[in-house]
Amino acid sequence: MGTEHSKNEERRSMVFLRKGPKLPAWEDALLAGREPKALLKRGLRYVSLSLIMKGMTSTPDFLWGLHEVQKLNLSRNQLVMIPPSLGKLDRLVVLNLGGNCLKCLPKEIGLLRNLKVLFVNMNCLKEVPAELSLCRKLEVLSLSHNCISQLPLNFTDLSSLRKLNLSNNRFVQIPLCIFALRSLDFLHLGFNKLENIAESIQYLVNLQIFIVENNNIRSLPRSLCYLSTLELLNVDYNAIQTLPDELYLLHRLRRIAWNPMDKGLHIAHNPLSRPLPEVVEGGLDVLFNYLRDKKERN
């Protein structure tokens, strides 16, 4: 009788274990006696490791011994810090830290000299380490949805940077260092507290997409009109009343755009002075002709 009771208890325990929460993939692998390197995936381009949505509050120690990894995804966890050991992964090309609780980045991030893509969006950053400027190969950087109000002056050294997302932060003005990033073709500063766009915007000669929606911008600088490469200009939800006469020089803007994903000129929800609201309703050609005629009259 006692033996039968013990067997029933054992069965119930086994059922309970089977129904319990599953171990994260990396813990399961280690408990099974597998080498951490077995977690790496070897694709055509990169040796990658994904630990996305594992509920981690800290990074596993074995991670910093995986020197081969080139693409690392630690996004959508609950990480509150990244240790200095990050600098050991000097082959990293892509690093995704988005969707965590990070308040800072270690200065050792500057040791990642091969880094090309970095996502630290949706965290709690208030500042960016100056050492990030040592990642001279960096091409894509997203710092959106943080609490950042300024950038280190030596960001000017990121000469390879092409895409920069600083949306949903606390910038009151566009950091001066950005105007030195001549390779930029994408710049997103929407949902900040910008009050103006400096005339220095003209130095971003390769800029194709410029988004500054949902700010407090009252006017557009004339120098913006000389960025002949612009294909998307989004100034929706600002305080703009007038437009520079030279706006018609932006010949790559094909239409007045309403869908956020469309290229063109986004200028909705601004207190434009008359007759601009009616002119804008006629489409981009009508607007450009109006501005061209106005300039010639003046």
Side-chain angles (χ1 to χ4, degrees):
M1 184 74 177
T3 305
E4 185 65 29
H5 177 74
S6 298
K7 287 183 178 179
N8 289 336
E9 285 296 319
E10 186 177 348
R11 291 193 195 98
R12 278 196 289 269
S13 298
M14 293 300 292
V15 169
F16 176 77
L17 287 172
R18 284 198 294 270
K19 290 183 178 179
K22 295 180 68 175
L23 288 170
W26 61 271
E27 287 186 359
D28 192 27
L30 294 180
L31 288 175
R34 295 168 61 195
E35 281 288 323
K37 288 186 178 182
L39 297 171
L40 297 176
K41 293 184 178 179
R42 302 177 185 277
L44 293 176
R45 294 188 64 188
Y46 301 126
V47 176
S48 62
L49 172 62
S50 177
L51 297 177
I52 182 174
M53 294 181 67
K54 301 299 182 186
M56 298 187 298
T57 56
S58 62
T59 50
D61 290 339
F62 75 81
L63 182 59
W64 315 119
L66 301 178
H67 302 294
E68 299 170 74
V69 67
Q70 296 169 289
K71 184 176 181 181
L72 176 61
N73 191 343
L74 299 176
S75 66
R76 301 175 70 181
N77 281 287
Q78 300 167 38
L79 301 175
V80 295
M81 60 93 68
I82 299 294
S85 302
L86 174 67
K88 296 179 180 180
L89 304 184
D90 56 5
R91 295 186 186 180
L92 276 181
V93 177
V94 180
L95 175 59
N96 190 343
L97 300 173
N100 280 287
C101 307
L102 302 176
K103 293 184 178 180
C104 62
L105 293 174
K107 63 181 182 179
E108 286 78 8
I109 198 167
L111 298 175
L112 307 182
R113 304 300 170 85
N114 291 301
L115 197 64
K116 291 185 177 181
V117 179
L118 174 61
F119 290 97
V120 204
N121 51 300
M122 292 187 287
N123 276 280
C124 307
L125 300 183
K126 290 186 177 180
E127 59 183 14
V128 181
E131 288 79 7
L132 184 58
S133 65
L134 297 173
C135 301
R136 304 291 172 80
K137 294 183 180 181
L138 198 62
E139 297 179 5
V140 178
L141 174 60
S142 178
L143 295 167
S144 71
H145 294 83
N146 278 285
C147 306
I148 305 167
S149 59
Q150 57 186 359
L151 295 177
L153 290 177
N154 62 358
F155 250 49
T156 55
D157 294 337
L158 295 176
S159 57
S160 298
L161 199 62
R162 295 187 299 107
K163 302 186 188 302
L164 177 60
N165 190 340
L166 297 173
S167 64
N168 291 272
N169 274 286
R170 298 180 180 176
F171 291 98
V172 175
Q173 62 182 10
I174 301 176
L176 291 176
C177 57
I178 287 180
F179 301 125
L181 304 177
R182 306 298 168 82
S183 296
L184 275 187
D185 58 41
F186 176 99
L187 177 58
H188 195 340
L189 276 156
F191 298 88
N192 276 282
K193 300 178 180 180
L194 302 180
E195 296 182 354
N196 60 69
I197 299 172
E199 293 285 347
S200 301
I201 193 70
Q202 65 185 310
Y203 298 125
L204 300 182
V205 294
N206 291 301
L207 201 58
Q208 297 176 24
I209 296 176
F210 184 37
I211 303 172
V212 285
E213 64 177 321
N214 276 275
N215 279 284
N216 302 312
I217 298 167
R218 295 184 175 87
S219 63
L220 300 179
R222 182 172 283 104
S223 61
L224 178 67
C225 305
Y226 302 118
L227 296 180
S228 59
T229 53
L230 270 185
E231 298 178 1
L232 189 158
L233 173 60
N234 190 337
V235 294
D236 283 348
Y237 293 96
N238 275 283
I240 298 169
Q241 296 184 20
T242 61
L243 296 174
D245 294 342
E246 293 82 1
L247 197 67
Y248 68 85
L249 295 174
L250 298 177
H251 60 276
R252 291 196 181 185
L253 298 180
R254 301 297 186 186
R255 63 175 72 86
I256 299 291
W258 304 99
N259 187 314
M261 302 302 294
D262 286 346
K263 290 184 178 180
L265 174 62
H266 297 252
I267 199 168
H269 304 285
N270 280 282
L272 296 172
S273 58
R274 293 188 180 278
L276 284 175
E278 292 79 8
V279 174
V280 168
E281 286 185 8
L284 193 64
D285 289 341
V286 173
L287 173 62
F288 280 2
N289 287 335
Y290 169 80
L291 294 173
R292 187 183 292 109
D293 292 344
K294 183 169 175 282
K295 180 174 175 59
E296 290 176 356
R297 287 196 303 270
N298 294 337

